[in-house]
Amino acid sequence: MKKIFAAAVVIGALSLSACNNSAREQAADNIEANAEAVADNLEDAADNVTTTGAEASLENQADAVRADGENKADDMRTHDADTNLSNGI
């Protein structure tokens, strides 16, 4: 009986730790998806402007948004959001 209980405790702990990792990964994926959507909108706006300077500026902003999203998502994957304030979340 003790072995069954110990096995159940181990399985329960593993399932909880798997849920924690998948939630963090899902949050990181959401950060990347949102940044990508914003960057796509900026690039669409860049296609509709009439000056090359404005187009370049919007494309640079899109690149910056993508890079920032990737950095925040990577930070989310590697740090615990509850204990590490460096990720800004």
Side-chain angles (χ1 to χ4, degrees):
M1 189 67 171
K2 290 181 183 180
K3 291 180 182 179
I4 292 173
F5 178 74
V9 169
V10 169
I11 290 171
L14 289 174
S15 66
L16 288 177
S17 68
C19 290
N20 187 24
N21 289 338
S22 65
R24 183 183 297 172
E25 183 64 31
Q26 184 177 11
D29 289 343
N30 289 341
I31 291 169
E32 284 180 331
N34 288 336
E36 187 66 30
V38 171
D40 287 344
N41 288 337
L42 287 169
E43 286 180 342
D44 289 342
D47 292 339
N48 294 326
V49 296
T50 57
T51 63
T52 57
E55 182 179 1
S57 176
L58 288 169
E59 288 177 355
N60 288 339
Q61 289 176 25
D63 292 340
V65 167
R66 273 195 188 91
D68 190 42
E70 288 176 10
N71 290 339
K72 286 183 179 180
D74 289 342
D75 194 38
M76 175 62 76
R77 288 183 180 102
T78 56
H79 297 97
D80 186 7
D82 294 333
T83 59
N84 186 355
L85 298 177
S86 71
N87 59 14
I89 296 173

